[in-house]
Amino acid sequence: MADSQDNVLNLLKKSEEFLKKKNIPSARLDAEILLADLLKIQRVKLYIDFERPLSLSEKDEYRERIVQRSKFKPTAYIIGKKAFFDSEFHVNESVLIPRPETEELVAWVLEEYPNKENNLEVLDLCSGSGCIGISLAKARKEWKVSFTDASESALEINRKNIQEILNTERSFELYHGDLLSPIPNETKFDLIVSNPPYIPESDKPSIMPDVAEYEPHFALFVSDFQGFHTKILTEAKTKLKPQGRLYLETHPRYSSWLKETALSLGYSQADLKKDLSGRDSFVRLIL
């Protein structure tokens, strides 16, 4: 029989203390997210039901989750999902965990295309979980959205998210290969939107262990930022319709370089946009 030490309140307190000792920065929040998901309730409901006792199996599973988090495994990977925009996405260690900054990129694109009747061809390049393209497709039912990624295991997660989030008869093309190389020659897009790998490998030592030890390095880091992004800009030019647009999330340190390089490659317009932290994290290029 469970005693008062096994209730929600006490287990949250113990877990928070344990995670703090392990230098987990968001100890209380993570303890709450992991427990609420385990109990299949909203996090706010924990506060309504502090005295609820946990069964032995629930305690064991919760303890295992807390131990994983203490080793810096991201909470999203432990529970297998992450909220992004207005949906919940399946994630595992094959894909990056969707970030709030990328929500800003999606919001920017939607702000620039408010007409829901427009029938646009859109590509989510380096799609990962598919969070960008799926969020755009959910908000703009008339858009034809395609996805491409170099990782087949990432595309499996992408497919699962399409099926569960969009729940529609619409068809979506998913291409497996390096950048735009798998896209058929005749296929052209009005918009290409991407959060490609952009962290220089030299920055690895400064990256938090949650990210550096668990998230897929091929989706995060580039050994040659300028060479890799020149390839993106060059290939995108061949896949954009006249006046087509390329939206990129990028490293603020390189945003001005991206703008100048795009103009030198023949794009007609290049604009930077700041994120909510005031950094030039987004670039819009018009052919």
Side-chain angles (χ1 to χ4, degrees), residues 22-89:
K22 299 293 184 176
N23 297 315
I24 302 298
S26 51
R28 179 68 178 203
L29 175 63
D30 292 344
E32 290 177 358
I33 291 171
L34 292 171
L35 184 54
D37 177 74
L38 173 63
L39 299 178
K40 295 180 170 54
I41 61 175
Q42 293 180 330
R43 190 162 60 92
V44 68
K45 295 283 180 65
L46 295 172
Y47 290 92
I48 299 169
D49 212 2
F50 263 154
E51 299 304 318
R52 171 179 174 171
L54 270 67
S55 68
L56 187 60
S57 62
E58 287 172 336
K59 276 199 307 175
D60 286 345
E61 187 173 343
Y62 185 50
R63 186 178 296 113
E64 174 58 29
R65 288 178 169 209
I66 293 297
V67 168
Q68 289 183 65
R69 184 64 188 120
S70 75
K71 295 175 180 176
F72 288 92
K73 185 172 184 177
T75 302
Y77 287 155
I78 297 172
I79 67 175
K81 56 194 175 186
K82 177 68 174 177
F84 179 89
F85 222 67
D86 58 356
S87 303
E88 197 165 62
F89 287 80

Side-chain angles (χ1 to χ4, degrees), residues 4-267:
S4 61
Q5 295 304 305
D6 299 326
N7 67 26
V8 165
L9 178 60
N10 286 319
L11 289 170
L12 280 176
K13 284 181 177 176
K14 287 179 186 174
S15 300
E16 180 185 9
E17 290 166 7
F18 178 70
L19 292 176
K20 279 183 174 176
K21 287 177 183 173
K22 299 293 184 176
N23 297 315
I24 302 298
S26 51
R28 179 68 178 203
L29 175 63
D30 292 344
E32 290 177 358
I33 291 171
L34 292 171
L35 184 54
D37 177 74
L38 173 63
L39 299 178
K40 295 180 170 54
I41 61 175
Q42 293 180 330
R43 190 162 60 92
V44 68
K45 295 283 180 65
L46 295 172
Y47 290 92
I48 299 169
D49 212 2
F50 263 154
E51 299 304 318
R52 171 179 174 171
L54 270 67
S55 68
L56 187 60
S57 62
E58 287 172 336
K59 276 199 307 175
D60 286 345
E61 187 173 343
Y62 185 50
R63 186 178 296 113
E64 174 58 29
R65 288 178 169 209
I66 293 297
V67 168
Q68 289 183 65
R69 184 64 188 120
S70 75
K71 295 175 180 176
F72 288 92
K73 185 172 184 177
T75 302
Y77 287 155
I78 297 172
I79 67 175
K81 56 194 175 186
K82 177 68 174 177
F84 179 89
F85 222 67
D86 58 356
S87 303
E88 197 165 62
F89 287 80
H90 290 285
V91 294
N92 64 18
E93 291 174 50
S94 299
V95 298
L96 285 185
I97 297 168
R99 305 296 205 269
E101 293 83 4
T102 309
E103 290 180 312
E104 296 177 48
L105 177 63
V106 171
W108 187 22
V109 175
L110 293 176
E111 284 165 12
E112 299 221 313
Y113 292 88
N115 184 352
K116 296 186 179 182
E117 305 308 313
N118 281 347
N119 188 3
L120 300 182
E121 300 262 0
V122 181
L123 177 68
D124 181 351
L125 172 65
C126 303
S127 61
S129 65
C131 64
I132 291 175
I134 290 170
S135 297
L136 293 173
K138 187 175 178 181
R140 299 288 182 266
K141 303 288 193 295
E142 300 303 317
W143 290 9
K144 185 177 187 303
V145 180
S146 302
F147 303 81
T148 183
D149 200 281
S151 164
E152 182 57 57
S153 55
L155 288 172
E156 288 175 15
I157 295 292
N158 193 333
R159 286 189 191 95
K160 187 175 183 180
N161 284 322
I162 288 172
Q163 291 164 3
E164 295 198 10
I165 294 169
L166 295 177
N167 188 24
T168 172
E169 296 302 313
R170 292 158 71 187
S171 63
F172 298 90
E173 295 289 344
L174 285 85
Y175 300 100
H176 176 224
D178 179 50
L179 295 179
L180 290 124
S181 61
I183 308 294
N185 287 335
E186 66 276 10
T187 302
K188 306 288 182 183
F189 299 98
D190 298 285
L191 305 177
I192 298 175
V193 189
S194 183
N195 177 21
Y198 60 71
I199 302 174
E201 286 189 350
S202 56
D203 287 3
K204 272 187 186 180
S206 64
I207 299 296
M208 289 183 65
D210 310 51
V211 177
E213 294 175 19
Y214 289 95
E215 297 204 52
H217 282 204
F218 67 86
L220 280 167
F221 299 104
V222 284
S223 56
D224 175 10
F225 181 98
Q226 295 183 343
F228 179 72
H229 281 76
T230 297
K231 187 177 180 184
I232 290 177
L233 300 182
T234 303
E235 290 187 9
K237 275 189 69 182
T238 71
K239 295 299 178 188
L240 284 170
K241 298 178 184 179
Q243 298 299 305
R245 297 185 177 194
L246 170 61
Y247 291 82
L248 293 171
E249 180 174 337
T250 194
H251 198 302
R253 195 160 73 227
Y254 289 94
S255 55
S256 293
W257 175 87
L258 263 175
K259 179 179 177 178
E260 292 163 10
T261 302
L263 293 172
S264 74
L265 288 171
Y267 285 83

